[in-house]
Amino acid sequence: ETGVTQSPTHLIKTRGQQVTLRCSSQSGHNTVSWYQQALGQGPQFIFQYYREEENGRGNFPPRFSGLQFPNYSSELNVNALELDDSALYLCASSSPDRESRGYTFGSGTRLTVV
Amino acid sequence: KQEVTQIPAALSVPEGENLVLNCSFTDSAIYNLQWFRQDPGKGLTSLLLIQSSQREQTSGRLNASLDKSSGRSTLYIAASQPGDSATYLCAVRPGAAGNKLTFGGGTRVLVKP
């Protein structure tokens, strides 16, 4: 099985800009979740996509949006970047058919907003 | 609202000592609990997953227990090694219809040679 892959690994953006992060889910997984992890804290749930539809959202403003594609890969878009958006963004995939295996996480994208 | 707490936030032990990491959660209506390892600046590696109907799971030197009624899980790492140095995170998933993990803040572990 191929794991969860995320790109890019690092990027630096200026406040007010927009950014797109990408995630390829693990083979056989049709559910993708995104998490934000600030330094020294546990990850916080942003939203989840199942079969191209958003089916859950955490306490994040609308400028955080996403997409899931027919091949189950996903994008996280953040508009009007703020300094507090600097964090590690993690993508996780899972499958309702394999719930006993839990979630598989990617290596993350480190976003720095200056 | 589910809250997950991990105490202590950090600990340091000499090599060979057993590690005991604690995780507590406020809502016992969980579907499962998952333990992860995170190396600095990296993603999460799944260690063990315990379903709500299970009491414990074991993998090699790792053993995780779950007491749902008291809202606690414990991760035991036997005979710690310097390579075990990392941050350990626990996460709970609500009932089967739930779709998000709620994480604790993690315990940062340093195993000294």
Side-chain angles (χ1 to χ4, degrees):
Chain A
E1 291 182 330
T2 57
V4 176
T5 58
Q6 292 187 244
S7 63
T9 54
H10 298 83
L11 75 164
I12 299 174
K13 289 286 190 178
T14 303
R15 189 173 49 184
Q17 284 188 316
Q18 178 265 345
V19 68
T20 297
L21 311 182
R22 294 178 175 83
C23 171
S24 294
S25 61
Q26 180 167 316
S27 175
H29 286 185
N30 54 18
T31 300
V32 173
S33 307
W34 287 91
Y35 289 79
Q36 180 195 66
Q37 186 178 26
L39 201 61
Q41 298 181 21
Q44 298 291 317
F45 175 74
I46 302 174
F47 45 58
Q48 177 170 291
Y49 280 82
Y50 171 65
R51 292 184 175 178
E52 303 177 58
E53 296 287 332
E54 183 182 299
N55 73 336
R57 189 177 183 92
N59 189 26
F60 280 81
R63 59 189 185 85
F64 285 78
S65 63
L67 285 172
Q68 187 180 30
F69 301 100
N71 65 354
Y72 304 132
S73 65
S74 177
E75 286 182 355
L76 164 65
N77 299 291
V78 187
N79 294 321
L81 284 167
E82 300 176 0
L83 297 180
D84 285 349
D85 295 333
S86 296
L88 181 67
Y89 287 85
L90 296 163
C91 171
S93 72
S94 63
S95 170
D97 298 331
R98 305 180 186 183
E99 284 182 338
S100 62
R101 299 187 187 182
Y103 288 81
T104 301
F105 279 79
S107 298
T109 294
R110 170 70 63 186
L111 172 64
T112 302
V113 183
V114 299
Chain B
K1 177 189 172 188
Q2 178 74 271
E3 293 184 1
V4 181
T5 304
Q6 293 184 249
I7 296 173
L11 77 160
S12 178
V13 299
E15 183 177 2
E17 197 165 290
N18 296 332
L19 282 164
V20 181
L21 306 178
N22 299 305
C23 171
S24 62
F25 46 95
T26 55
D27 186 348
S28 62
I30 66 169
Y31 183 64
N32 59 38
L33 183 147
Q34 199 165 356
W35 281 94
F36 295 91
R37 168 187 170 136
Q38 185 174 35
D39 293 297
K42 303 296 185 180
L44 306 182
T45 299
S46 180
L47 298 174
L48 290 168
L49 181 144
I50 311 177
Q51 300 294 348
S52 62
S53 58
Q54 297 176 317
R55 297 283 293 186
E56 67 177 344
Q57 278 286 345
T58 299
S59 176
R61 294 185 295 114
L62 277 61
N63 174 276
S65 65
L66 174 64
D67 184 343
K68 208 171 66 159
S69 61
S70 66
R72 294 180 190 171
S73 177
T74 303
L75 177 65
Y76 300 89
I77 303 177
S80 62
Q81 304 167 359
D84 295 328
S85 298
T87 296
Y88 292 83
L89 294 150
C90 70
V92 299
R93 180 180 168 183
N99 52 19
K100 75 171 191 178
L101 296 178
T102 301
F103 283 85
T107 295
R108 192 170 67 253
V109 171
L110 175 62
V111 180
K112 296 180 286 187

